Amino acid sequence: MNQFLRSLTPTQQVAALFVIVFGLLTIVSVVTLLVGFRERRNAAHNEAWQRELHDFRNLLRTSWFMVVIFWIGWALGEAVATVLFGLIAFLALREFITLSPTRRGDHRSLILAFFVVLPIQFILVGTARFDLFTVFIPVYVFIAIPVVSALANDPSQFLERNAKLQWGIMVCVYGMSHVPALLLLSFPSYEGKSAFLVFFLVFVVQTCMVVQHLIARRFTYSAAEGRPPLQRWLAREPFAPNVSRSFNWASWGVGMAIASVVGALMSFITPFRFDQALAMALIACVAGSMGHLVMKALKRDRGIPNWGQKGVGVTGANGLLDRVDALCFAAPIFFHSVRWYFGV
């Protein structure tokens, strides 16, 4: 089997990867659908189990969304992939700004963010101007936004309004722009296989989030008494309960460990050695999981369960930003770690 895969061209190898992933997701989706049908006809589980099934379906939909997006981007080429991720960044920033109070004096800054900053950032990515696109937003845009806002002659809550807009641009535009940038990295003897690098990043981050979520849901702190030692160790008290009821260091550590090992086992589809793939997966997972926690804190501050208008985003039951928040934090850290270590 391994010999057969090596005999394929890079394009055929990437296509085979997507066939395998779509097949696995289809099998899991069918099983989940059948379980749901059986539960509707003959409810045999309690409310907690129903919530777990609902959460798992949300995670499954997120996985489908990410895989389909990356498949479309790969199938239509690097230029279309850059435009596609630019559109995702636009919609994510729209969700973020919708739930952030704005005033009349912010209109020019918002126009600058959506129709000037975002297109320029992705044009810089598409033309592989890496040195400029990495500093364009944190340096030039972060100075320009408050200048434009000051010229609007509205000092009310000036610092808060500008900080929210800058943070939204940083997460939704700057972070997301690093995903298509991975497609343009050039490694020796790795031409035509950059889609594997994007898949590696998304898969390990999503694996980390799923494992962490399932462990935290399965081993709740309130039900820890009377369980075996391992289950009691996993059923830790939430570390930041006002931000997230499902985040604790035990589930986080297990998620890191499993996702890092998975990343190391996937080293054969990347330009990394086994140990390098392990380290890069760990870096991506730490950044993604901490970013997800930060975005939860922002949602608690706004008093909402999900991003999007009234908690219902443009993509359905959960907001688009809920589906890509971990990736927005993981992508720039992963991208710059790879560029720095390998000198590409």
Side-chain angles (χ1 to χ4, degrees):
M1 183 65 177
N2 187 50
Q3 197 66 28
F4 169 74
L5 291 175
R6 290 181 180 277
S7 67
L8 299 177
T9 65
T11 301
Q12 290 172 333
Q13 289 177 350
V14 177
L17 173 66
F18 278 112
V19 169
I20 294 172
V21 172
F22 277 124
L24 292 174
L25 283 176
T26 300
I27 293 172
V28 174
S29 299
V30 170
V31 172
T32 304
L33 184 64
L34 294 176
V35 170
F37 280 148
R38 187 184 66 178
E39 194 63 23
R40 287 195 193 99
R41 296 182 62 182
N42 183 22
H45 297 88
N46 56 24
E47 185 178 348
W49 188 91
Q50 297 286 353
R51 285 198 302 270
E52 288 184 8
L53 180 61
H54 175 74
D55 292 337
F56 182 77
R57 283 172 174 165
N58 287 336
L59 290 170
L60 191 59
R61 280 194 292 267
T62 299
S63 300
W64 269 110
F65 172 78
M66 289 184 173
V67 171
V68 169
I69 289 295
F70 294 128
W71 175 74
I72 294 174
W74 168 76
L76 298 181
E78 294 173 354
V80 175
T82 303
V83 174
L84 181 62
F85 283 105
L87 177 61
I88 293 174
F90 181 93
L91 296 174
L93 182 59
R94 173 177 168 269
E95 284 187 349
F96 185 93
I97 296 300
T98 299
L99 294 170
S100 300
T102 56
R103 294 170 59 86
R104 186 180 184 85
D106 296 323
H107 290 180
R108 294 175 184 175
S109 299
L110 292 174
I111 291 174
L112 178 66
F114 280 97
F115 301 108
V116 179
V117 173
L118 191 150
I120 290 177
Q121 177 71 4
F122 280 87
I123 288 172
L124 293 175
V125 171
T127 54
R129 300 180 184 274
F130 294 145
D131 291 339
L132 183 55
F133 105 87
T134 55
V135 300
F136 173 64
I137 286 178
V139 178
Y140 300 99
V141 173
F142 274 27
I143 294 176
I145 290 291
V147 170
V148 172
S149 184
L151 292 174
N153 194 33
D154 184 2
S156 178
Q157 297 180 314
F158 183 85
L159 180 60
E160 181 182 359
R161 285 160 38 214
N162 282 276
K164 288 176 181 177
L165 181 55
Q166 289 174 325
W167 183 247
I169 293 173
M170 192 68 181
V171 174
C172 303
V173 181
Y174 186 79
M176 183 57 67
S177 68
H178 284 76
V179 180
L182 287 170
L183 296 172
L184 302 176
L185 290 180
S186 179
F187 289 87
S189 304
Y190 198 69
E191 291 76 11
K193 298 182 181 180
S194 297
F196 282 131
L197 208 56
V198 177
F199 176 81
F200 174 85
L201 170 64
V202 175
F203 192 83
V204 297
V205 171
Q206 187 67 4
T207 298
C208 170
M209 300 308 301
V210 169
V211 171
Q212 180 181 333
H213 176 83
L214 292 179
I215 290 178
R217 288 286 186 177
R218 183 65 177 173
F219 303 102
T220 58
Y221 177 69
S222 59
E225 296 299 328
R227 288 184 171 183
L230 178 60
Q231 294 186 13
R232 287 201 304 271
W233 181 80
L234 291 173
R236 297 291 184 91
E237 184 177 5
F239 182 78
N242 292 330
V243 173
S244 173
R245 299 292 300 174
S246 61
F247 180 84
N248 63 71
W249 291 119
S251 62
W252 181 82
V254 173
M256 292 296 108
I258 292 177
S260 299
V261 171
V262 168
L265 295 176
M266 293 172 61
S267 60
F268 67 95
I269 68 169
T270 72
F272 313 142
R273 299 192 310 266
F274 183 90
D275 57 328
Q276 293 171 340
L278 180 72
M280 291 300 169
L282 179 61
I283 290 172
C285 291
V286 170
S289 60
M290 291 294 104
H292 182 68
L293 184 66
V294 169
M295 297 305 286
K296 277 192 172 184
L298 289 175
K299 287 190 289 187
R300 298 298 179 268
D301 177 59
R302 300 263 62 88
I304 57 170
N306 303 302
W307 292 105
Q309 187 66 27
K310 296 181 180 179
V312 179
V314 295
T315 59
N318 293 316
L320 174 65
L321 193 50
D322 287 301
R323 301 172 187 267
V324 299
D325 56 0
L327 189 62
C328 288
F329 280 80
I333 301 297
F334 180 77
F335 175 85
H336 291 291
S337 298
V338 169
R339 280 202 75 204
W340 168 76
Y341 186 82
F342 293 96
V344 293

